[in-house]
């Protein structure tokens, strides 16, 4: 159970590496059981269009509520799911669930329905079956590939090789490819030539100090400029204040995401927001 996981975390401080390895193994087992028991949920954070804040897309973010325990952050369990390879099964569930919700929004709200963004980890890109899986999920839910974007990190494709090959196959299906946390990885502009990217998600760290730091502004402007020049979409991540949102619009950003606009929400709340937007 999650309580046992928590207890082991506490032991790590006293018993050293063995306890840490044990914690890792316990967490991995709890994740597998959690998937079988339906303990995972998706929440959706709007990606809005500036300046009015209309919902352009939503990003699916996974949540784990272990039976009887406190919720566990994806920052804690995604790395373990990656290391154990369990992310492949969890990722398939995430993709299927997100596409099912997106298809339902499209049935209910038509053209007002948001596009969907789904995070795909480095480990998933090493699975040669991923493009086939994505294709069959889209067909099963009757979702157009152009409505779906997969978020990957620079680091995942930096080395080239099989991961880059997979990204090309995914792009060939017609889905969008976003570089997540852009600017924080092995940020190589060469990547923008070799990897078929459609969107740059400019990392929160570049957005945080927008007001008051000319250097920060110069970087934010350059990144949106690179996107515009290459015909890519730029999305500003982690926008927390009205001032940041206003400034981003002035600096040429058309898309933004962050607590200032909306927190990640359950699917039903996205429905409600879409209904209230048209009324
Ligand atoms: P990410 O893909 O870059 O997602 C953005 C994270 O920033 C989310 O955290 C979101 O809740 C948070 N965030 C959004 N707006 C703000 C803001 O204004 N201020 C602050 N402080 N934070 C904001 P979350 O949901 O905890 O996810 C953390 C990371 O875990 C994600 O970063 C992603 O790398 C990974 N992750 C989450 N869900 C999935 C998933 O379904 N699959 C995979 N492979 N990874 C996931
Ligand atoms: Mg993301
Ligand atoms: Mg991100
Ligand atoms: Mg991030």
């Amino acid at each position: 159970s999650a309580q046992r996981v928590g207890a082991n975390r506490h032991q790590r401080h006293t018993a050293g590496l063995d306890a840490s390895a044990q914690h890792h193994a316990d967490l991995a087992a709890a994740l597998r059981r959690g998937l079988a028991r339906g303990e995972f949920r998706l929440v959706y954070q709007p990606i809005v269009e500036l300046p009015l804040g209309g919902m352009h897309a939503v990003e699916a973010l996974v949540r784990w509520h272990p039976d009887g325990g406190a919720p566990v952050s994806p920052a804690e369990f995604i790395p373990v799911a990656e290391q154990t390879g369990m992310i492949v099964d969890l990722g398939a569930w995430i993709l299927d669930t997100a596409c099912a919700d997106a298809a339902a929004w499209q049935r209910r709200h038509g053209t007002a329905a948001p596009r969907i963004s789904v995070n795909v980890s480095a480990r998933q890109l090493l699975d040669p079956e991923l493009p086939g899986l994505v294709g069959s999920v889209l067909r099963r839910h009757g979702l157009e590939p152009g409505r779906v974007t997969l978020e990957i990190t620079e680091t995942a494709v930096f080395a080239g090789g099989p991961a880059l090959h997979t990204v090309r196959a995914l792009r060939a299906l017609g889905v969008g490819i976003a570089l997540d946390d852009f600017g924080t990885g092995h940020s190589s502009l060469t990547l923008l030539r070799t990897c078929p990217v459609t969107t740059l998600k400019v990392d929160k760290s570049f957005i945080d100090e927008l007001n008051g730091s000319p250097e920060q502004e110069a970087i934010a402007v350059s990144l949106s400029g690179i996107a515009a020049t290459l015909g890519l979409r730029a999305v500003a991540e982690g926008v927390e204040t009205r001032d940041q949102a206003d400034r981003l619009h002035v600096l040429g950003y058309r898309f933004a995401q962050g607590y200032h606009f909306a927190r990640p929400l359950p699917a039903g709340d996205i429905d409600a927001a879409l209904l209230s937007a048209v009324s």
Side-chain angles (χ1 to χ4, degrees):
S1 75
Q3 261 137 13
R4 202 174 325 123
V5 171
N8 277 317
R9 188 189 310 151
H10 179 71
Q11 279 166 19
R12 178 171 48 181
H13 298 294
T14 52
L17 256 186
D18 284 351
S20 169
Q22 186 60 48
H23 167 67
H24 187 280
D26 285 355
L27 187 54
L31 281 170
R32 275 235 162 264
R33 275 198 309 274
L35 185 58
R37 290 178 182 169
E39 293 173 353
F40 292 91
R41 294 276 179 278
L42 293 185
V43 287
Y44 297 94
Q45 187 179 33
I47 296 170
V48 306
E49 192 160 355
L50 299 174
L52 295 181
M55 205 189 308
H56 168 74
V58 295
E59 177 180 5
L61 295 161
V62 67
R63 297 291 178 261
W64 182 29
H65 299 271
D67 189 29
V72 184
S73 158
E76 182 171 354
F77 70 78
I78 291 284
V80 177
E82 283 211 5
Q83 287 155 29
T84 59
M86 188 264 183
I87 191 70
V88 170
D89 289 342
L90 179 59
W93 177 84
I94 290 167
L95 193 69
D96 186 61
T97 306
C99 287
D101 284 337
W105 290 324
Q106 217 170 314
R107 282 192 300 274
R108 282 185 224 125
H109 308 284
T111 52
R115 293 151 192 269
I116 185 108
S117 260
V118 181
N119 291 285
V120 170
S121 79
R123 177 65 181 72
Q124 288 174 274
L125 293 176
L126 295 178
D127 174 11
E129 289 173 25
L130 183 65
L133 174 78
V134 170
S136 70
V137 167
L138 292 175
R139 277 192 302 278
R140 180 161 63 246
H141 296 293
L143 210 54
E144 282 168 37
R147 307 284 303 171
V148 178
T149 292
L150 302 178
E151 300 194 3
I152 65 175
T153 60
E154 296 163 281
T155 317
V157 283
F158 178 69
L164 186 56
H165 186 265
T166 304
V167 174
R168 291 194 175 121
L170 290 167
R171 180 69 190 118
L173 291 173
V175 300
I177 303 292
L179 281 182
D180 207 349
D181 308 328
F182 186 71
T184 61
H186 298 282
S187 193
S188 154
L189 297 180
T190 305
L191 198 60
L192 299 179
R193 282 198 317 225
T194 56
C195 189
V197 175
T198 56
T199 300
L200 301 184
K201 296 196 76 175
V202 177
D203 191 67
K204 181 178 189 308
S205 58
F206 300 107
I207 308 303
D208 278 343
E209 293 162 60
L210 263 188
N211 294 287
S213 162
E215 293 83 2
Q216 204 76 346
E217 284 216 350
I219 293 171
V221 171
S222 303
L223 293 177
S224 81
I226 289 169
T229 305
L230 297 176
L232 312 177
R233 222 167 242 162
V235 178
E237 289 194 292
V239 179
E240 293 182 342
T241 68
R242 169 81 193 268
D243 282 353
Q244 286 173 326
D246 290 347
R247 196 71 199 135
L248 283 164
H249 180 55
V250 169
L251 297 179
Y253 279 81
R254 256 187 74 201
F255 299 101
Q257 183 179 13
Y259 297 165
H260 170 65
F261 304 103
R263 298 245 164 193
L265 302 164
D269 290 13
I270 297 292
D271 260 315
L274 291 167
L275 285 175
S276 65
V278 292
S279 62

